[in-house]
Amino acid sequence: MEGTIMFQTDSAYATLTSTALTHEQKLMNLAKEAENALDVLDIPPRAQHYFETGAINDLFEGHAPYRPRYILPDYPRFVEQGSEFLRLSPPQDLDELLNSLMILYRHVPSITNFPVYLGSLDQLIDPFLDGLSDEEVCKKLKLFLTYLDRTITDSFCHANLGPADTRAGRLLMRVAAQLQNTVPNLTVKYDPEVTPDSFMEEAIRCSLVCSNPAICNHQANRDYFDDYGIASCYNILPTGGGAYTLTRITLTKLAEEARDTEHFMEELLPECLRLIADYMNQRIRFIVEKSGFFASSFLVKEGLISADRFLPMFGVTGLAEAVNRLVASRGLVYGRDKEADDLGVAIMERIDREVAGFTAAYSPITGNRFLLHAQVGLDSDVGVTSGVRIPVGSEPESFADHLRHCARFHGFFPAGVGDIFPIASNVEQNPAALLDVVKGAFGLGVHYMSFYSDNTDLVRITGYLVKRSEMEKFRAHQAVLQNTTHLGTANYDTNHLERRKVRMV
């Protein structure tokens, strides 16, 4: 019932008295407690059942949505016009640009309370480099990127590069390799018709040093929206808009209820998908009709975002374990046996067909449809592999076979999908060979991939970065700056990410 208050005092007190949380982390946790004290959504009994089993998960969005989950402002427009609300004139040089961006980022909300998208930094910065030496630019970029890493204390934050080769892009990668920060995530949009090999080889060298940037298949993603950005982990969303909400179906948990494959496919799956769509529509309507966000935000009033460029993301995770459970009697394994993979494709085809039939509220940019997203997982997921990935320890021996498997599934997810590959450290001597792998993978239909060297301090957990050294501090019950270290440590340990198969090229 709307307005009901249910404050969890024990949980709030535990937050207040914690010695492993910073002041800011306590503040955000207490804010979430207050939000969850309200009950404004109507959850029917069958949906509640699936929430309790874990087949449906709202990914900590809270019981009373008051802002969109992911927001991607039109940063070029901000640079062109400045901001009346923030009392900022259009920047005239690099110092003014970086200062203005830092101020704006502080006022861009999201589900994490931090900006999840920082724009295409190379395109924003490159016009302001005339008359400056590389050394002068790098000094300014180091200060800028250090500020971001120390103040946006959540790794679900993303900046983009490419697809064009720019001086700014190369200098940003040079500085990123030197700093080895966890924030922001970087992704380079790669289009072989636009992006020169030398630029991509520089990106690969950088990624093998600091796990940034990941690589996006620009040709495969550019047709979904007139302009897109990669936000948070690897979420493909329209700029000037974003995502209202993201709720996921955990196929692993749903399969645990199934008597057999037919029961799973014909009864449980359609019912659960419909309930998720209904639930997300409730969230969307509350945000648009009751929260006041779009009526009050200066981002809307100044044309940096518009409600008609937001959409709902329909998350999918745990396909591997769902398939393995359904084919267990035949001794088949997802990622290794064709029959198991064929069932995985059949499940995704059914999900795609069902979700395409649902009407999404206030989502004209997608024709009022939900878009599928391969959800990366949670720190609490035990025995649930992110999205449609192959579980750690079950990867095919052949790197090429692994990529062929990825290609079978990536096309189902216009709102983002990705795979992660640790790479033997000696590959950094030959980035051209790894670029050939990328070209081949994208030619097969892979949409997004990321690398990190097997001996680097920075590790890509599911889509975000965490330092091994910071995880060690957290395991020793020390406070750490980034709250995603908390999530990453649990995920790394629970899912034994240290056992990912290291690929040779």
Side-chain angles (χ1 to χ4, degrees):
M1 185 71 71
E2 187 169 335
T4 301
I5 303 295
M6 299 179 296
F7 200 72
Q8 303 296 317
T9 55
D10 290 345
S11 178
Y13 185 78
T15 295
L16 283 171
T17 57
S18 172
T19 59
L21 298 175
T22 65
H23 171 76
E24 184 176 51
Q25 290 159 2
K26 287 185 178 184
L27 189 67
M28 289 189 292
N29 287 356
L30 290 170
K32 182 61 69 177
E33 293 280 356
E35 181 183 352
N36 286 339
L38 294 172
D39 185 6
V40 302
L41 303 173
D42 181 21
I43 302 177
R46 284 298 289 171
Q48 185 61 43
H49 165 75
Y50 286 126
F51 271 106
E52 291 171 357
T53 65
I56 299 178
N57 191 298
D58 68 0
L59 303 169
F60 307 109
E61 287 194 356
H63 296 172
Y66 60 93
R67 74 299 200 204
R69 183 180 182 96
Y70 300 129
I71 295 174
L72 285 71
D74 183 343
Y75 289 113
R77 182 167 185 167
F78 166 74
V79 173
E80 179 182 348
Q81 71 186 22
S83 170
E84 181 180 353
F85 180 79
L86 297 176
R87 302 194 301 277
L88 293 172
S89 300
Q92 300 302 307
D93 58 30
L94 183 58
D95 287 331
E96 290 184 4
L97 171 72
L98 300 181
N99 186 63
S100 292
L101 288 173
M102 290 190 294
I103 292 171
L104 178 58
Y105 293 153
R106 175 64 180 78
H107 297 278
V108 177
S110 76
I111 187 62
T112 67
N113 298 308
F114 297 104
V116 295
Y117 176 69
L118 305 182
S120 294
L121 285 182
D122 55 345
Q123 295 178 27
L124 294 172
I125 291 172
D126 203 61
F128 292 87
L129 299 189
D130 289 348
L132 296 172
S133 68
D134 286 358
E135 291 71 21
E136 290 172 316
V137 173
C138 286
K139 181 176 181 179
K140 296 176 189 296
L141 293 181
K142 283 182 181 179
L143 293 173
F144 175 63
L145 293 179
T146 299
Y147 168 86
L148 297 179
D149 184 68
R150 305 307 192 270
T151 59
I152 302 175
T153 55
D154 185 287
S155 297
F156 296 114
C157 174
H158 222 116
N160 300 168
L161 305 172
D165 182 355
T166 61
R167 180 184 172 207
R170 290 178 180 267
L171 294 179
L172 280 162
M173 288 189 288
R174 180 193 300 182
V175 171
Q178 294 171 355
L179 295 177
Q180 300 200 33
N181 289 334
T182 56
V183 178
N185 267 301
L186 294 172
T187 290
V188 58
K189 299 176 181 179
Y190 174 47
D191 182 344
E193 296 180 1
V194 176
T195 320
D197 285 0
S198 62
F199 188 77
M200 287 306 302
E201 288 175 18
E202 189 66 30
I204 288 170
R205 287 190 190 92
C206 186
S207 69
L208 293 174
V209 171
C210 65
S211 304
N212 261 328
I215 305 173
C216 174
N217 185 338
H218 185 56
Q219 291 185 346
N221 287 285
R222 65 187 177 189
D223 293 333
Y224 293 125
F225 311 111
D226 54 354
D227 188 25
Y228 76 93
I230 302 105
S232 189
C233 286
Y234 48 68
N235 306 341
I236 308 294
L237 293 167
T239 55
Y244 290 117
T245 183
L246 166 58
T247 299
R248 78 178 191 185
I249 182 170
T250 307
L251 297 170
T252 310
K253 300 299 182 181
L254 191 67
E256 291 174 0
E257 291 193 45
R259 295 188 299 269
D260 51 34
T261 300
E262 182 179 3
H263 182 224
F264 176 85
M265 294 285 279
E266 301 302 326
E267 296 184 37
L268 297 179
L269 188 59
E271 178 189 46
C272 192
L273 294 172
R274 175 180 57 79
L275 291 168
I276 290 173
D278 291 344
Y279 175 75
M280 282 201 281
N281 273 334
Q282 281 198 64
R283 300 191 71 90
I284 294 169
R285 292 190 180 101
F286 191 88
I287 292 170
V288 175
E289 298 172 1
K290 295 186 178 182
S291 75
F293 175 82
F294 288 104
S296 63
S297 174
F298 81 95
L299 298 171
V300 177
K301 294 176 181 177
E302 297 187 1
L304 303 184
I305 60 172
S306 174
D308 61 9
R309 293 183 64 79
F310 281 80
L311 59 94
M313 300 171 69
F314 206 114
V316 176
T317 200
L319 177 64
E321 288 78 12
V323 168
N324 287 342
R325 184 177 183 86
L326 294 172
V327 300
S329 63
R330 291 184 282 164
L332 302 175
V333 178
Y334 179 85
R336 288 185 175 268
D337 297 301
K338 183 179 183 300
E339 287 183 69
D341 292 345
D342 288 346
L343 176 59
V345 170
I347 291 171
M348 285 309 310
E349 288 174 341
R350 183 60 183 269
I351 292 172
D352 188 52
R353 186 165 64 251
E354 293 284 339
V355 171
F358 301 140
T359 299
Y362 296 107
S363 303
I365 193 167
T366 63
N368 294 311
R369 293 293 179 261
F370 298 86
L371 293 190
L372 292 180
H373 170 73
Q375 202 274 323
V376 297
L378 299 169
D379 62 313
S380 57
D381 285 338
V382 177
V384 179
T385 297
S386 299
V388 292
R389 294 177 186 167
I390 299 172
V392 171
S394 294
E395 302 97 333
E397 289 300 317
S398 165
F399 195 3
D401 286 345
H402 196 163
L403 292 170
R404 290 188 187 97
H405 181 277
C406 298
R408 293 193 71 183
F409 292 91
H410 278 204
F412 289 107
F413 300 100
V417 60
D419 277 272
I420 302 170
F421 304 100
I423 302 296
S425 56
N426 65 334
V427 175
E428 65 190 52
Q429 301 168 16
N430 187 15
L434 198 48
L435 178 57
D436 286 341
V437 172
V438 174
K439 291 178 179 179
F442 285 3
L444 291 171
V446 171
H447 280 210
Y448 192 97
M449 57 197 304
S450 54
F451 308 115
Y452 63 89
S453 177
D454 62 328
N455 62 358
T456 184
D457 189 31
L458 280 157
V459 178
R460 195 167 289 278
I461 301 296
T462 53
Y464 61 96
L465 296 175
V466 172
K467 288 194 173 189
R468 300 179 203 261
S469 54
E470 289 293 288
M471 288 193 286
E472 287 302 316
K473 291 179 183 177
F474 184 66
R475 292 187 187 104
H477 306 289
Q478 299 178 32
V480 291
L481 183 63
Q482 264 88 22
N483 55 33
T484 30
T485 303
H486 307 172
L487 307 178
T489 303
N491 198 310
Y492 190 89
D493 294 343
T494 299
N495 295 302
H496 301 289
L497 299 188
E498 77 282 357
R499 300 177 188 172
R500 282 175 173 155
K501 189 169 186 61
V502 177
R503 294 301 182 180
M504 309 291 290
V505 179

